[in-house]
């Protein structure tokens, strides 16, 4: 029998207990964690213009070291929504370095900013896996990401 694990959901009522339950920090960072679930934590690009960014990032750092935190994310750069691109680049770089520090994979949200994501990857030189959420690009971009 094949088992599937959903590593990315925004549903708090998701039944699958084995999956990673994704919380968008800017919307729910003060919510208590369910000790029976697994999590990934990050400041989503759509929420990057939040007024409490530094407080949210501190919270994410605290959550990142917990054993029930399996990944950092969903984070990234979205050219169509969120804070300015410079702010999103700064936050994404922070998350990429955090993923390396706590040795956890990074879940990436990217909309029309692949060159920026690739530049940050080159800068950070990650050893941990980077997981692209919802890739809909061309094969040539997929090859570039794999390299």
């Amino acid at each position: 029998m094949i088992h599937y694990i959903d590593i990315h959901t925004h549903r708090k009522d998701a039944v699958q207990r084995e999956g990673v339950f994704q919380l968008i920090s800017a919307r729910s960072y003060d919510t208590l964690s369910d000790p029976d679930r697994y999590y990934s934590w990050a400041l989503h690009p759509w929420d990057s213009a939040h007024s409490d960014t530094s407080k949210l990032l501190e919270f994410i750092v605290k959550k990142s070291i917990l054993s029930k935190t399996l990944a950092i994310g969903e984070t990234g750069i979205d050219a169509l929504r969120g804070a300015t691109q410079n702010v999103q680049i700064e936050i994404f770089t922070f998350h990429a370095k955090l993923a390396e520090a706590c040795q956890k994979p990074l879940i990436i949200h990217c909309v029309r900013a692949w060159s920026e994501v690739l530049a940050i990857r080159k800068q950070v030189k990650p050893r941990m896996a980077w997981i692209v959420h919802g890739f809909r690009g061309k094969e040539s971009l997929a090859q570039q990401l794999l390299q």
Side-chain angles (χ1 to χ4, degrees), residues 17-55:
R17 293 279 183 181
E18 304 87 43
V20 175
F21 179 58
Q22 166 71 29
L23 288 179
I24 298 176
S25 301
R27 295 180 185 149
S28 57
Y29 72 96
D30 57 347
T31 304
L32 293 175
S33 302
D34 179 344
D36 294 328
R37 290 190 179 266
Y38 295 97
Y39 291 87
S40 64
W41 297 94
L43 181 58
H44 193 284
W46 292 357
D47 299 315
S48 57
H50 196 279
S51 61
D52 278 343
T53 300
S54 61
K55 184 177 179 181

Side-chain angles (χ1 to χ4, degrees), residues 39 61 63-67 69-72 94-107 124 126-131:
Y39 291 87
V61 168
K63 290 292 189 178
S64 70
I65 61 172
L66 300 177
S67 62
T69 298
L70 300 185
I72 304 301
F94 172 87
H95 284 112
K97 290 177 179 178
L98 178 61
E100 289 300 303
C102 61
Q103 296 186 329
K104 297 182 181 182
L106 187 69
I107 301 172
V124 173
R127 291 174 292 138
M128 301 310 301
W130 283 24
I131 302 166

Side-chain angles (χ1 to χ4, degrees), residues 8 10 22-27 41-50 53 56-57 60 73-78 81-83 88 91-92 95 107-111 133:
H8 183 85
H10 295 276
Q22 166 71 29
L23 288 179
I24 298 176
S25 301
R27 295 180 185 149
W41 297 94
L43 181 58
H44 193 284
W46 292 357
D47 299 315
S48 57
H50 196 279
T53 300
L56 292 172
L57 293 176
I60 291 162
E74 176 182 352
T75 182
I77 305 167
D78 191 320
R81 198 166 163 186
Q88 290 188 44
I91 292 170
F92 178 62
H95 284 112
I107 301 172
I108 300 168
H109 171 103
C110 184
V111 175
H133 172 247

Side-chain angles (χ1 to χ4, degrees), residues 9-20:
T9 182
H10 295 276
R11 293 184 48 206
K12 292 181 182 181
D13 62 344
V15 176
Q16 186 176 343
R17 293 279 183 181
E18 304 87 43
V20 175

